[in-house]
Amino acid sequence: EVQLVESGGGLVKPGGSLRLSCAASGFTFNSYMMHWVRQAPGTGLEWVASISLSGNYIHYSDSLKGRFTISRDNAKNSLFLQMSSLRAEDTAVYYCARDSRGFDFDYWGQGTLVTVSS
Amino acid sequence: ESVLTQSPATLSLSPGERATLSCRPTQSDTRYLAWYQQKPGQAPRLLIYDTSNRATGIPARFSGSVSGTEFTLTISSLEPEDSAVYYCQQRYKYTFGQGTKLQIK
């Protein structure tokens, strides 16, 4: 059974940093591109970042302005999102998702809530 | 910037009725879309990929199509459990539409 389990969310002050993790199981992790998607309270879905199978190709949403870094550890079947210079507008549930065919996401984690507030 | 415009924003229908949800990309060369269903407190679930292919385990009442530049998700006979927000997504920057909230009366 494919499972994606996010962790690392919590309350952080504006300007602070946080590292999210996503533990993958039930599939060959290094065979899939992975993504982070976020959802601010009461709003829609926003793609955040993607990383290729080996980690060589990385893309970010233009809105992040270089504050986030996506990475993966294929040996540990894990995906990460390092977030810095956090702002109130980064408050959201962050999901990791598996890319099945190049842009559609066939499996999602349950999400981890990041709250940026003083 | 390519945007996806979903309509209507909200749809209220009765069980057994047919639901038609629209998604229009501003980029005319968009060829493929995906559709997701999200229920409150849950992660999104992939329904349709490559415009018209049902994802694994998705009931046959869900179908996707395209006519010109308008992409459509159709639910042929609504069930109470279809109450959710539905999102379309395109390949370009993995952009999502703003969602259509489907309420079952």
Side-chain angles (χ1 to χ4, degrees), chain A residues 19 36 51 58 60 69-73 78-81:
Chain A
R19 189 191 196 213
W36 287 98
I51 186 167
I58 287 173
Y60 297 100
T69 302
I70 188 173
S71 62
R72 66 191 296 164
D73 184 338
S78 295
L79 176 72
F80 306 100
L81 186 68

Side-chain angles (χ1 to χ4, degrees), chain B residues 12-30:
Chain B
S12 184
L13 294 169
S14 299
E17 289 192 302
R18 181 185 189 92
T20 302
L21 286 65
S22 171
C23 180
R24 286 184 181 271
T26 55
Q27 200 158 321
S28 61
D29 61 350
T30 298

Side-chain angles (χ1 to χ4, degrees), chain A residues 12-116:
Chain A
V12 60
K13 289 181 167 51
S17 299
L18 210 56
R19 189 191 196 213
L20 306 183
S21 300
C22 172
S25 61
F27 66 102
T28 305
F29 183 68
N30 61 13
S31 294
Y32 290 86
M33 188 170 181
M34 297 294 295
H35 300 263
W36 287 98
V37 177
R38 69 182 181 182
Q39 186 169 35
T43 70
L45 302 170
E46 179 188 14
W47 173 76
V48 170
S50 66
I51 186 167
S52 63
L53 279 61
S54 60
N56 290 343
Y57 297 97
I58 287 173
H59 298 277
Y60 297 100
S61 168
D62 294 340
S63 66
L64 296 180
K65 294 181 171 40
R67 298 182 296 118
F68 291 9
T69 302
I70 188 173
S71 62
R72 66 191 296 164
D73 184 338
N74 287 340
K76 296 183 177 179
N77 292 338
S78 295
L79 176 72
F80 306 100
L81 186 68
Q82 178 69 47
M83 304 184 294
S84 61
S85 301
L86 284 163
R87 308 166 180 169
E89 54 264 37
D90 296 316
T91 294
V93 174
Y94 285 74
Y95 297 100
C96 65
R98 189 180 85 165
D99 187 321
S100 65
R101 275 163 290 265
F103 81 99
D104 55 274
F105 307 159
D106 61 347
Y107 285 95
W108 298 63
Q110 84 289 351
T112 186
L113 176 63
V114 173
T115 302
V116 184

Side-chain angles (χ1 to χ4, degrees), chain A residues 98-108, chain B residues 31-37 45-58 62-66 71-73 87-91:
Chain A
R98 189 180 85 165
D99 187 321
S100 65
R101 275 163 290 265
F103 81 99
D104 55 274
F105 307 159
D106 61 347
Y107 285 95
W108 298 63
Chain B
R31 297 183 62 187
Y32 298 106
L33 281 192
W35 289 92
Y36 299 85
Q37 176 193 66
R45 176 173 72 147
L46 178 66
L47 296 176
I48 302 288
Y49 65 92
D50 288 350
T51 301
S52 59
N53 295 286
R54 276 189 302 278
T56 303
I58 301 304
F62 291 90
S63 64
S65 62
V66 59
F71 293 79
T72 300
L73 173 69
Y87 296 95
C88 57
Q89 182 202 22
Q90 64 180 350
R91 183 185 297 271

